[in-house]
Amino acid sequence: MVSVPPLVAGIELGGTKIVCLLARGPDAIEDRVQLPTTRPEETLAAIEHVLDGWGRFDALGIASFGPISIDRHAADYGHVTSTPKPHWAGTDVAKRLAARYEVPTGFHTDVVGAALAEARWGAAEGLRDVAYVTVGTGIGVGLIAGGVPVDGLTHSELGHIRPDRLAGDDWIGICPFHGGCLEGLAAGPAIGARAGKKGEDIAADDPVWEPVGHVLAQLCHTLVLTGVPRRIVMGGGVMVGNDHLFPRIRAAMVKSLAGYIALPEISEPAFVVPPALGGNAGPLGAIVLGGQALEDQLKSFTAL
């Protein structure tokens, strides 16, 4: 007898848009609704309107922009914390929605959600040790080891490490916290500010891509040195449509590592790849998070 996967409501809460997905998996999507991200109360009310219309579901998963509080014992668990996004710092998301729908609720970053989805159904299918990098409005990394997020004190914020720079590249960057961190140098707004034009108007041979590719390779260098990922999936608005970045990043990463990690798979094209799930990676990640929350609840009941 084949068991039917649970019906999960998934929410990808992004900085500019929200995707609400009602699904059992990528081949069993019952509804998909996209909403704009505006002020918190207006946005959360719009999400609740969609979920109320769906009626009953087995679990809820939320994959959110960050930083967020993922410590279930913390007073601010489920909140967006020190985000630079106006009006959103301190906003309760997960506890509010969990209380309203009274179903097992999973909550993590959008990049961890995307990593889980790509490992379950996408470009890293079958792998339990994966990194998902998003390069868009910001830069974030979801790191999965043994099939679960690599968490400790909090979730990772690897988009804000300070990379080694190309000789002569002294552009100050635009991150409001760190200036020339990865996000301040290579996220979409940073590329546009450096080039003086919109990203979609930048040609593949524009000189701006050399320092951008270099610092993104520095991020991959760092991820290799964690010893975790068997594959690095790179998505987000900057990577989509700019396939020329992948060979540039791979080559710069291998050069930067300088033979220190002598594993042949690191230099293979299959080590740093684009996502397979496209725009559904984040929402499907929320579906995975909801399913995991349901599984955890069932395990706790079984243990009683």
Side-chain angles (χ1 to χ4, degrees), residues 130-143:
V130 177
Y132 182 93
V133 178
T134 185
V135 187
T137 305
I139 294 179
V141 179
L143 196 57

Side-chain angles (χ1 to χ4, degrees), residues 210-266:
E210 184 178 8
V212 168
H214 177 82
V215 297
L216 292 176
Q218 291 293 296
L219 173 56
C220 292
H221 173 131
T222 301
L223 290 171
V224 169
L225 294 181
T226 67
V228 173
R230 299 176 186 274
R231 186 162 298 156
I232 300 172
V233 183
M234 300 189 74
V238 169
M239 303 305 297
V240 174
N242 287 315
D243 291 346
H244 62 89
L245 277 173
F246 284 92
R248 188 191 298 270
I249 291 168
R250 292 186 198 107
M253 175 194 71
V254 171
K255 181 180 179 181
S256 180
L257 287 166
Y260 184 69
I261 305 295
L263 296 172
E265 53 264 50
I266 290 172

Side-chain angles (χ1 to χ4, degrees), residues 41 81 95 169 178:
E41 187 56 43
T81 58
K95 286 197 289 190
D169 178 19
H178 313 114

Side-chain angles (χ1 to χ4, degrees), residues 100-121:
R100 183 179 183 91
Y101 297 105
E102 298 183 324
V103 293
T105 301
F107 179 64
H108 218 296
T109 62
D110 48 1
V111 282
V112 161
L116 289 167
E118 290 288 344
R120 175 78 63 90
W121 299 299

Side-chain angles (χ1 to χ4, degrees), residues 28-301:
I29 295 174
E30 298 195 4
D31 199 10
R32 187 184 194 276
V33 179
Q34 183 170 309
L35 305 166
T37 306
T38 56
R39 286 176 175 265
E41 187 56 43
E42 181 182 11
T43 300
L44 290 169
I47 291 170
E48 290 168 346
H49 178 74
V50 172
L51 269 59
D52 289 351
W54 285 344
R56 187 68 185 170
F57 37 84
D58 301 311
L60 172 64
I62 306 163
S64 175
F65 70 86
I68 58 175
S69 175
I70 59 171
D71 180 358
R72 288 186 173 272
H73 302 292
D76 65 349
Y77 167 73
H79 288 59
V80 177
T81 58
S82 56
T83 180
K85 184 169 178 60
H87 314 297
W88 278 85
T91 297
D92 176 18
V93 176
K95 286 197 289 190
R96 168 176 169 158
L97 295 176
R100 183 179 183 91
Y101 297 105
E102 298 183 324
V103 293
T105 301
F107 179 64
H108 218 296
T109 62
D110 48 1
V111 282
V112 161
L116 289 167
E118 290 288 344
R120 175 78 63 90
W121 299 299
E125 186 174 359
L127 299 178
R128 292 172 58 78
D129 310 304
V130 177
Y132 182 93
V133 178
T134 185
V135 187
T137 305
I139 294 179
V141 179
L143 196 57
I144 306 298
V148 297
V150 179
D151 294 329
L153 178 65
T154 184
H155 56 81
S156 70
E157 282 289 349
L158 288 166
H160 291 270
I161 63 174
R162 300 179 188 273
D164 183 39
R165 305 283 293 274
L166 278 175
D169 178 19
D170 57 0
W171 190 63
I172 61 173
I174 64 168
C175 175
F177 291 92
H178 313 114
C181 64
L182 284 165
E183 185 168 296
L185 295 170
I191 297 169
R194 187 195 283 253
K197 63 184 79 172
K198 293 181 179 180
E200 58 266 29
D201 297 329
I202 304 175
D205 60 353
D206 192 291
V208 75
W209 294 119
E210 184 178 8
V212 168
H214 177 82
V215 297
L216 292 176
Q218 291 293 296
L219 173 56
C220 292
H221 173 131
T222 301
L223 290 171
V224 169
L225 294 181
T226 67
V228 173
R230 299 176 186 274
R231 186 162 298 156
I232 300 172
V233 183
M234 300 189 74
V238 169
M239 303 305 297
V240 174
N242 287 315
D243 291 346
H244 62 89
L245 277 173
F246 284 92
R248 188 191 298 270
I249 291 168
R250 292 186 198 107
M253 175 194 71
V254 171
K255 181 180 179 181
S256 180
L257 287 166
Y260 184 69
I261 305 295
L263 296 172
E265 53 264 50
I266 290 172
S267 60
E268 294 292 326
F271 187 71
V272 180
V273 299
L277 298 174
N280 271 341
L284 284 170
I287 298 299
V288 178
L289 289 168
Q292 289 181 340
L294 179 60
E295 289 174 8
D296 290 343
Q297 184 183 83
L298 293 173
K299 287 176 183 177
S300 66
F301 286 158

